[in-house]
Amino acid sequence: MPDDFACHKFGRKDSKYHYWRWQPYHCDLPRFNAKGLLEKLKGKRVLFVGDSLNKNQWASMVCLIESSGIPSLNPPIWKGNLITFEVKEYNATIDFYWSPLLVESNCDDPVKHRVRDRIIRVEAIEKHARHWIDADILIFDSFTWWLESHMTLQWGSFNSSDAIYKKVEMKLRRYEMALRTWSDWLEFQIERKRTKLFFMSLSSSHKNGTDWGRGNDQNCYGETEPISRREYWGSESDRKMMEIAEESVNGLKRKGLDIQYLNITQLSEYRKDGHPSVYKRNWVAPTKEQLLNPRKNSDCVHWCLPGVPDVWNQILYAYIMDSSRELNE
C-alpha cells in the first residue's frame, strides 16, 4: 500500500468511506472474485499506464488480489518508470507504468516530477510506448497533468540545440494533439486480436467546497459523507476534455481496436469523503501556514484505499470477465 493512499495508517479514524459501493440503475455489477480474475489472466500481462491516479487504481487492484489470500505473492518491484507485481502461481503480472502525459515530457521521472514549467514533446511517445507493446490488457488515464494554464510544447529532442519550443495556453488543443499521437501509436503498433484497451475517464477532485454548499475556504478536509444530490457535478471536472478523450477512443473503435472508455467520473463526483486530505505521508514538509490550517495541505485529488478506486476496478473486472472468452483464445 503506497503511503499516498494509506489513510488509516496516517491517522484517519472514520471508516465509513471503506464501505460505499456503486449501484447502477437497471443492472448489478458482479462481485469481485480475485481468483476467478487470475484464472482469466493466466499467462497474461495487465498494465496500468498514466499518472498517480492510475497508480491509485493499480494499487487498489493489487490490494484486491492480495486480500484474497493467494499464496506466493512477492512485493512489487520498481524499475525505472515500471512497477511489476507478479503472481507466480498464475504466471501473471499486474504492472504500473508512470507516464502522466502519455507522450514524452520533462515530468517523466517517476520520483522527481514536480516541475513548475512543464515541457511536452507532443508528437513523441516511443520512449514510453515500447514498454507497453507486449501487454495483453492496457488501462490508460491522462487528465490531471494537462490542467496547467500554460505548458510548453517542444518539437525535437530534449538534447537538441535546434529544438522548437512554443508556450501555449490552449489546454484542449494540446490535449487533443497528445491523444492523436497516442491513438496513432496504438493504431499501428498494437496487436489487435490479442490486446484489450481501456481508457479511464476523469477522476473527480473536491477542492472547492462551494460546489456542495460549503464556504469558499472549504474543501474535502473533514468530510465523512458522500454528496447525495443525484445531479451533482463539480466545477473542476472538465466535460470538454472528457469529450476529446471519448472521441479519441471512439475513433480507435471505428478502426477496429478493442477499446472501451470507462466513465467513472459521475460515480466519483459524489465521493467528497473519499480523499486522503491530511491523512497521508508528506513527501515535502508542510509549511507553517499549512500546519496552522490543515485544509491548505489537504489532498483532495487522490483516494484513500480501501475506497473509490475499488469501485473503478469492480467495473473494469466486469469488462474483463465479460471478454474472458477472447482473452483465453
Side-chain angles (χ1 to χ4, degrees):
M1 173 78 75
D3 284 349
D4 310 82
F5 320 130
C7 302
H8 179 75
K9 174 181 175 180
F10 286 91
R12 184 163 180 174
K13 301 301 183 186
D14 65 301
S15 60
K16 194 184 290 187
Y17 67 92
H18 289 180
Y19 302 111
W20 288 100
R21 292 292 176 264
W22 177 246
Q23 177 58 56
Y25 292 110
H26 312 306
C27 71
D28 292 314
L29 291 171
R31 185 179 180 85
F32 189 93
N33 180 332
K35 291 184 179 179
L37 175 63
L38 289 172
E39 284 292 338
K40 302 304 180 189
L41 298 180
K42 189 174 287 185
K44 308 294 183 186
R45 183 189 184 208
V46 179
L47 178 60
F48 291 80
V49 177
D51 57 20
S52 53
L53 284 160
N54 216 13
K55 185 182 178 185
N56 212 165
Q57 186 177 357
W58 167 82
S60 159
M61 179 66 82
V62 169
C63 289
L64 287 167
I65 290 170
E66 283 189 322
S67 64
S68 67
I70 294 167
S72 306
L73 294 178
N74 295 322
I77 298 169
W78 193 316
K79 185 178 180 181
N81 290 46
L82 181 69
I83 311 176
T84 296
F85 175 72
E86 184 180 8
V87 189
K88 287 188 176 179
E89 184 177 341
Y90 293 88
N91 188 30
T93 61
I94 316 293
D95 299 345
F96 169 75
Y97 185 91
W98 172 262
S99 182
L101 296 151
L102 298 181
V103 293
E104 293 180 29
S105 74
N106 64 343
C107 311
D108 289 342
D109 189 291
V111 178
K112 299 177 181 179
H113 48 250
R114 298 174 186 270
V115 181
R116 176 80 59 175
D117 184 12
R118 294 177 184 171
I119 303 173
I120 301 98
R121 295 186 66 208
V122 77
E123 294 180 349
I125 198 169
E126 183 60 34
K127 184 184 80 172
H128 297 312
R130 61 191 175 88
H131 297 281
W132 317 336
I133 198 164
D134 65 338
D136 299 280
I137 299 176
L138 279 161
I139 304 103
F140 295 97
D141 91 318
S142 188
F143 282 99
T144 303
W145 282 67
W146 292 98
L147 298 178
E148 289 289 316
S149 58
H150 291 79
M151 299 175 88
T152 300
L153 304 187
Q154 177 184 334
W155 289 265
S157 68
F158 283 115
N159 298 321
S160 174
S161 60
D162 57 355
I164 299 170
Y165 295 86
K166 185 177 181 180
K167 195 156 193 168
V168 296
E169 296 181 41
M170 306 171 293
K171 176 179 67 177
L172 299 179
R173 177 66 181 135
R174 67 198 183 207
Y175 185 57
E176 193 173 32
M177 291 168 70
L179 287 187
R180 184 179 299 120
T181 300
W182 169 80
S183 298
D184 287 346
W185 185 87
L186 290 173
E187 180 184 354
F188 294 107
Q189 300 297 330
I190 285 296
E191 189 177 327
R192 300 183 184 204
K193 291 185 178 179
R194 179 173 69 88
T195 311
K196 189 161 187 65
L197 307 166
F198 297 92
F199 195 98
M200 307 302 296
S201 75
L202 184 149
S203 170
S204 310
S205 59
H206 295 88
K207 302 175 187 176
N208 186 359
T210 58
D211 286 350
W212 60 90
R214 301 283 195 194
N216 59 12
D217 61 339
Q218 305 292 303
N219 57 24
C220 70
Y221 176 74
E223 296 287 352
T224 58
E225 295 287 338
I227 295 164
S228 59
R229 194 167 80 247
R230 178 178 155 184
E231 68 278 8
Y232 175 82
W233 187 268
S235 60
E236 298 159 277
S237 297
D238 193 316
R239 292 183 189 272
K240 290 183 178 179
M241 285 187 72
M242 292 176 64
E243 289 169 4
I244 290 170
E246 188 166 13
E247 179 50 37
S248 296
V249 168
N250 289 337
L252 288 170
K253 271 188 178 180
R254 290 191 292 269
K255 293 173 181 177
L257 278 75
D258 185 2
I259 187 167
Q260 294 288 339
Y261 180 73
L262 295 195
N263 194 332
I264 47 82
T265 305
Q266 185 67 74
L267 70 89
S268 307
E269 287 283 351
Y270 304 119
R271 296 301 309 278
K272 61 180 171 58
D273 60 311
H275 299 287
S277 67
V278 297
Y279 303 109
K280 59 182 173 60
R281 179 182 293 279
N282 288 303
W283 299 103
V284 178
T287 65
K288 186 176 181 180
E289 183 183 17
Q290 289 172 332
L291 291 171
L292 291 172
N293 185 354
R295 283 185 177 83
K296 293 185 179 294
N297 190 37
S298 289
D299 179 353
C300 299
V301 174
H302 300 96
W303 303 95
C304 295
L305 294 178
V308 173
D310 299 337
V311 183
W312 304 347
N313 279 323
Q314 190 180 11
I315 297 170
L316 176 64
Y317 165 84
Y319 273 93
I320 292 173
M321 298 303 282
D322 188 54
S323 65
S324 59
R325 182 182 62 82
E326 292 89 344
L327 279 174
N328 285 317
E329 284 179 351

